[in-house]
Amino acid sequence: MRKKIVAGNWKMNKNLQEGIELAKELNEALAAEKPNCDVVICTPFIHLAKVSDIINHEVIGLGAENCADKEKGAFTGEVSAEMVKSTGAEYVILGHSERREYYNETPEILKEKVLLALANGLKVIFCIGESLEQREANQQNEVVKAELEGSVFNLSEEQFANIVIAYEPIWAIGTGKTATSDQAEEIHAYIRSVIADKYGKEVAENTSILYGGSCKASNAPELFAKPDIDGGLIGGASLKCADFKGIIDAWK
Ligand code: PGA
């Protein structure tokens, strides 16, 4: 059975003290009431080591929001997958549309990052999703398929078992505009079928596919009720414990 996952993506928010506060609050809230899903928080690099010491890793997984496409060496300002792993983190988000768009991360660069993350024992939350223009031209299926083919379909079946997919329509990220649950389900089912064509039905059935884009406590229950939506990747609503917990509780 594939995992149900609610993952937070803090993006470039929270200084160290604020991040520690939030992690503590969430850790306490989930210790008091065990979640019915896997919970992951993905934080800026600077928070990872401290947050790792605070959280109970049996209840909350920890992830980075990025890692380098090089193993090590003279790459000033970069943080390697090995460094991320050494903080106690178990996950890394790769392929987020903000990284693709603002930092020119190409499919080839992402392919390298994915390989390095997996080689260092990290699980990858790999983001895919179309722009508004592409959705209006009804190209969403081609776009997500190409994104999978470009960066993760080179993996062996064994490696692919460590990939979580996050479908995030760019037009829904941070806009307050959520895909309807039917729209999301339709493309999630399509993504699963593409994975099945590549790796077989069993692998596809075992792959968690998360929805991201203005997901909040009010719309999470309807989204998560769909058969091919296995949870969410949450930006804005992961920045307050009560909001994030509200989404986690959608699995109750
Ligand atoms: P949002 O972001 O929940 O703020 O829309 C989601 C994401 O970008 O991962």
Side-chain angles (χ1 to χ4, degrees), residues 7-9 11 93 96-98 127 166 168 172-177 211-216 233-238:
N9 173 11
K11 308 193 179 183
I93 296 174
H96 193 282
S97 57
E98 289 153 16
C127 305
E168 300 203 308
I173 296 176
T175 57
K177 220 178 173 185
Y211 169 79
S214 299
C215 183
K216 40 191 186 282
L233 180 58
I234 320 298
S238 72

mmCIF file of all heavy atoms in Angstrom, residues 7-9 11 93 96-98 127 166 168 172-177 211-216 233-238, ligand 1:
data_model
loop_
_atom_site.group_PDB
_atom_site.id
_atom_site.type_symbol
_atom_site.label_atom_id
_atom_site.label_comp_id
_atom_site.label_asym_id
_atom_site.label_seq_id
_atom_site.Cartn_x
_atom_site.Cartn_y
_atom_site.Cartn_z
ATOM 1 N N ALA A 7 3.199 16.892 3.344
ATOM 2 C CA ALA A 7 4.535 17.477 3.442
ATOM 3 C C ALA A 7 4.442 18.999 3.385
ATOM 4 O O ALA A 7 3.705 19.550 2.563
ATOM 5 C CB ALA A 7 5.414 16.963 2.291
ATOM 6 N N GLY A 8 5.178 19.651 4.254
ATOM 7 C CA GLY A 8 5.221 21.116 4.245
ATOM 8 C C GLY A 8 6.438 21.589 3.484
ATOM 9 O O GLY A 8 7.499 20.956 3.532
ATOM 10 N N ASN A 9 6.286 22.674 2.771
ATOM 11 C CA ASN A 9 7.393 23.308 2.051
ATOM 12 C C ASN A 9 7.447 24.744 2.556
ATOM 13 O O ASN A 9 6.640 25.572 2.162
ATOM 14 C CB ASN A 9 7.101 23.246 0.545
ATOM 15 C CG ASN A 9 8.105 24.024 -0.286
ATOM 16 O OD1 ASN A 9 9.142 24.448 0.209
ATOM 17 N ND2 ASN A 9 7.788 24.217 -1.559
ATOM 18 N N LYS A 11 9.551 26.997 2.025
ATOM 19 C CA LYS A 11 10.140 27.945 1.066
ATOM 20 C C LYS A 11 11.118 28.881 1.798
ATOM 21 O O LYS A 11 11.767 28.457 2.744
ATOM 22 C CB LYS A 11 9.043 28.701 0.311
ATOM 23 C CG LYS A 11 8.025 27.746 -0.318
ATOM 24 C CD LYS A 11 7.110 28.386 -1.308
ATOM 25 C CE LYS A 11 6.170 27.339 -1.885
ATOM 26 N NZ LYS A 11 5.295 27.876 -2.920
ATOM 27 N N ILE A 93 13.071 18.033 -1.651
ATOM 28 C CA ILE A 93 12.172 18.434 -2.744
ATOM 29 C C ILE A 93 13.049 18.785 -3.943
ATOM 30 O O ILE A 93 14.012 19.539 -3.809
ATOM 31 C CB ILE A 93 11.350 19.693 -2.359
ATOM 32 C CG1 ILE A 93 10.411 19.416 -1.181
ATOM 33 C CG2 ILE A 93 10.543 20.199 -3.565
ATOM 34 C CD1 ILE A 93 9.691 20.675 -0.663
ATOM 35 N N HIS A 96 10.868 21.729 -8.026
ATOM 36 C CA HIS A 96 9.790 22.676 -7.742
ATOM 37 C C HIS A 96 9.742 23.725 -8.859
ATOM 38 O O HIS A 96 10.781 24.162 -9.343
ATOM 39 C CB HIS A 96 10.008 23.332 -6.373
ATOM 40 C CG HIS A 96 8.777 24.056 -5.919
ATOM 41 N ND1 HIS A 96 8.430 25.285 -6.411
ATOM 42 C CD2 HIS A 96 7.790 23.692 -5.055
ATOM 43 C CE1 HIS A 96 7.281 25.659 -5.854
ATOM 44 N NE2 HIS A 96 6.868 24.711 -5.038
ATOM 45 N N SER A 97 8.556 24.145 -9.218
ATOM 46 C CA SER A 97 8.409 25.091 -10.341
ATOM 47 C C SER A 97 9.158 26.397 -10.079
ATOM 48 O O SER A 97 9.621 27.048 -11.015
ATOM 49 C CB SER A 97 6.945 25.368 -10.626
ATOM 50 O OG SER A 97 6.300 25.861 -9.477
ATOM 51 N N GLU A 98 9.273 26.780 -8.806
ATOM 52 C CA GLU A 98 10.014 28.013 -8.508
ATOM 53 C C GLU A 98 11.506 27.834 -8.815
ATOM 54 O O GLU A 98 12.166 28.756 -9.279
ATOM 55 C CB GLU A 98 9.780 28.422 -7.038
ATOM 56 C CG GLU A 98 8.360 28.926 -6.838
ATOM 57 C CD GLU A 98 7.808 28.755 -5.437
ATOM 58 O OE1 GLU A 98 8.576 28.514 -4.496
ATOM 59 O OE2 GLU A 98 6.569 28.861 -5.294
ATOM 60 N N CYS A 127 8.641 17.386 -8.058
ATOM 61 C CA CYS A 127 7.489 18.210 -8.446
ATOM 62 C C CYS A 127 7.345 18.331 -9.957
ATOM 63 O O CYS A 127 8.335 18.540 -10.662
ATOM 64 C CB CYS A 127 7.624 19.615 -7.874
ATOM 65 S SG CYS A 127 7.849 19.656 -6.093
ATOM 66 N N ALA A 166 4.955 15.008 -6.652
ATOM 67 C CA ALA A 166 4.036 16.075 -6.250
ATOM 68 C C ALA A 166 3.542 16.771 -7.511
ATOM 69 O O ALA A 166 4.346 17.373 -8.243
ATOM 70 C CB ALA A 166 4.723 17.067 -5.323
ATOM 71 N N GLU A 168 1.883 19.768 -8.970
ATOM 72 C CA GLU A 168 1.592 21.136 -8.547
ATOM 73 C C GLU A 168 1.336 22.019 -9.763
ATOM 74 O O GLU A 168 2.284 22.513 -10.389
ATOM 75 C CB GLU A 168 2.778 21.710 -7.754
ATOM 76 C CG GLU A 168 3.115 20.932 -6.507
ATOM 77 C CD GLU A 168 3.874 21.791 -5.502
ATOM 78 O OE1 GLU A 168 4.886 22.417 -5.883
ATOM 79 O OE2 GLU A 168 3.441 21.858 -4.356
ATOM 80 N N ALA A 172 -1.858 27.279 -9.548
ATOM 81 C CA ALA A 172 -2.523 27.125 -8.241
ATOM 82 C C ALA A 172 -1.580 27.409 -7.073
ATOM 83 O O ALA A 172 -2.013 27.482 -5.928
ATOM 84 C CB ALA A 172 -3.088 25.709 -8.112
ATOM 85 N N ILE A 173 -0.279 27.580 -7.367
ATOM 86 C CA ILE A 173 0.690 27.740 -6.280
ATOM 87 C C ILE A 173 0.653 29.152 -5.724
ATOM 88 O O ILE A 173 0.928 30.116 -6.448
ATOM 89 C CB ILE A 173 2.124 27.386 -6.746
ATOM 90 C CG1 ILE A 173 2.201 25.917 -7.137
ATOM 91 C CG2 ILE A 173 3.139 27.699 -5.652
ATOM 92 C CD1 ILE A 173 3.540 25.490 -7.707
ATOM 93 N N GLY A 174 0.289 29.254 -4.462
ATOM 94 C CA GLY A 174 0.308 30.549 -3.777
ATOM 95 C C GLY A 174 -0.707 31.547 -4.315
ATOM 96 O O GLY A 174 -0.648 32.723 -3.999
ATOM 97 N N THR A 175 -1.636 31.075 -5.121
ATOM 98 C CA THR A 175 -2.582 31.991 -5.757
ATOM 99 C C THR A 175 -3.955 31.961 -5.090
ATOM 100 O O THR A 175 -4.804 32.784 -5.393
ATOM 101 C CB THR A 175 -2.800 31.595 -7.239
ATOM 102 O OG1 THR A 175 -3.251 30.231 -7.276
ATOM 103 C CG2 THR A 175 -1.522 31.727 -8.043
ATOM 104 N N GLY A 176 -4.168 30.976 -4.222
ATOM 105 C CA GLY A 176 -5.481 30.818 -3.620
ATOM 106 C C GLY A 176 -6.438 30.085 -4.561
ATOM 107 O O GLY A 176 -7.575 29.802 -4.228
ATOM 108 N N LYS A 177 -5.946 29.779 -5.760
ATOM 109 C CA LYS A 177 -6.759 29.105 -6.772
ATOM 110 C C LYS A 177 -6.401 27.622 -6.743
ATOM 111 O O LYS A 177 -5.321 27.245 -7.194
ATOM 112 C CB LYS A 177 -6.340 29.683 -8.129
ATOM 113 C CG LYS A 177 -7.420 29.934 -9.096
ATOM 114 C CD LYS A 177 -6.764 30.548 -10.322
ATOM 115 C CE LYS A 177 -7.734 30.694 -11.463
ATOM 116 N NZ LYS A 177 -7.060 31.176 -12.671
ATOM 117 N N TYR A 211 -0.798 16.226 -4.097
ATOM 118 C CA TYR A 211 -1.284 17.425 -4.774
ATOM 119 C C TYR A 211 -0.713 18.661 -4.071
ATOM 120 O O TYR A 211 -0.675 18.710 -2.832
ATOM 121 C CB TYR A 211 -2.825 17.505 -4.756
ATOM 122 C CG TYR A 211 -3.284 18.867 -5.221
ATOM 123 C CD1 TYR A 211 -3.323 19.181 -6.578
ATOM 124 C CD2 TYR A 211 -3.566 19.882 -4.298
ATOM 125 C CE1 TYR A 211 -3.633 20.454 -7.013
ATOM 126 C CE2 TYR A 211 -3.887 21.166 -4.728
ATOM 127 C CZ TYR A 211 -3.923 21.438 -6.087
ATOM 128 O OH TYR A 211 -4.222 22.709 -6.507
ATOM 129 N N GLY A 212 -0.300 19.661 -4.814
ATOM 130 C CA GLY A 212 0.166 20.917 -4.223
ATOM 131 C C GLY A 212 -0.361 22.106 -4.986
ATOM 132 O O GLY A 212 -0.462 22.074 -6.221
ATOM 133 N N GLY A 213 -0.690 23.139 -4.255
ATOM 134 C CA GLY A 213 -1.187 24.368 -4.883
ATOM 135 C C GLY A 213 -2.404 24.863 -4.133
ATOM 136 O O GLY A 213 -3.511 24.378 -4.343
ATOM 137 N N SER A 214 -2.165 25.796 -3.204
ATOM 138 C CA SER A 214 -3.248 26.378 -2.399
ATOM 139 C C SER A 214 -4.090 25.313 -1.687
ATOM 140 O O SER A 214 -5.306 25.466 -1.541
ATOM 141 C CB SER A 214 -4.129 27.291 -3.248
ATOM 142 O OG SER A 214 -3.359 28.353 -3.775
ATOM 143 N N CYS A 215 -3.424 24.262 -1.254
ATOM 144 C CA CYS A 215 -4.117 23.249 -0.457
ATOM 145 C C CYS A 215 -4.208 23.776 0.979
ATOM 146 O O CYS A 215 -3.243 24.295 1.524
ATOM 147 C CB CYS A 215 -3.333 21.937 -0.512
ATOM 148 S SG CYS A 215 -4.141 20.590 0.356
ATOM 149 N N LYS A 216 -5.384 23.652 1.572
ATOM 150 C CA LYS A 216 -5.584 24.109 2.946
ATOM 151 C C LYS A 216 -6.573 23.199 3.657
ATOM 152 O O LYS A 216 -7.144 22.295 3.022
ATOM 153 C CB LYS A 216 -6.019 25.574 2.975
ATOM 154 C CG LYS A 216 -7.010 25.984 1.902
ATOM 155 C CD LYS A 216 -7.167 27.501 1.859
ATOM 156 C CE LYS A 216 -8.263 27.899 0.877
ATOM 157 N NZ LYS A 216 -7.841 27.856 -0.509
ATOM 158 N N LEU A 233 1.464 18.551 -0.873
ATOM 159 C CA LEU A 233 2.686 19.332 -0.629
ATOM 160 C C LEU A 233 2.200 20.755 -0.376
ATOM 161 O O LEU A 233 1.579 21.367 -1.248
ATOM 162 C CB LEU A 233 3.639 19.265 -1.824
ATOM 163 C CG LEU A 233 4.952 20.060 -1.670
ATOM 164 C CD1 LEU A 233 5.750 19.605 -0.447
ATOM 165 C CD2 LEU A 233 5.815 19.923 -2.925
ATOM 166 N N ILE A 234 2.467 21.232 0.818
ATOM 167 C CA ILE A 234 1.796 22.423 1.319
ATOM 168 C C ILE A 234 2.790 23.559 1.515
ATOM 169 O O ILE A 234 3.750 23.416 2.288
ATOM 170 C CB ILE A 234 1.134 22.131 2.702
ATOM 171 C CG1 ILE A 234 0.468 20.739 2.747
ATOM 172 C CG2 ILE A 234 0.179 23.254 3.083
ATOM 173 C CD1 ILE A 234 -0.649 20.531 1.774
ATOM 174 N N GLY A 235 2.545 24.688 0.868
ATOM 175 C CA GLY A 235 3.403 25.857 1.040
ATOM 176 C C GLY A 235 2.866 26.745 2.149
ATOM 177 O O GLY A 235 3.106 26.515 3.333
ATOM 178 N N GLY A 236 2.124 27.763 1.769
ATOM 179 C CA GLY A 236 1.633 28.774 2.708
ATOM 180 C C GLY A 236 1.005 28.202 3.974
ATOM 181 O O GLY A 236 1.290 28.669 5.086
ATOM 182 N N ALA A 237 0.192 27.185 3.810
ATOM 183 C CA ALA A 237 -0.531 26.634 4.971
ATOM 184 C C ALA A 237 0.343 25.711 5.832
ATOM 185 O O ALA A 237 -0.145 25.113 6.788
ATOM 186 C CB ALA A 237 -1.798 25.911 4.514
ATOM 187 N N SER A 238 1.641 25.611 5.509
ATOM 188 C CA SER A 238 2.520 24.823 6.397
ATOM 189 C C SER A 238 3.261 25.733 7.373
ATOM 190 O O SER A 238 4.042 25.261 8.199
ATOM 191 C CB SER A 238 3.528 24.007 5.577
ATOM 192 O OG SER A 238 4.525 24.846 5.005
HETATM 193 P P1 PGA B 1 1.103 26.801 -1.735
HETATM 194 O O1 PGA B 1 2.480 26.213 -2.294
HETATM 195 O O2 PGA B 1 0.500 25.750 -0.831
HETATM 196 O O3 PGA B 1 1.489 28.038 -0.978
HETATM 197 O O4 PGA B 1 0.233 27.083 -2.917
HETATM 198 C C1 PGA B 1 2.624 24.852 -2.615
HETATM 199 C C2 PGA B 1 4.017 24.588 -3.112
HETATM 200 O O5 PGA B 1 4.555 25.423 -3.862
HETATM 201 O O6 PGA B 1 4.634 23.566 -2.763
#
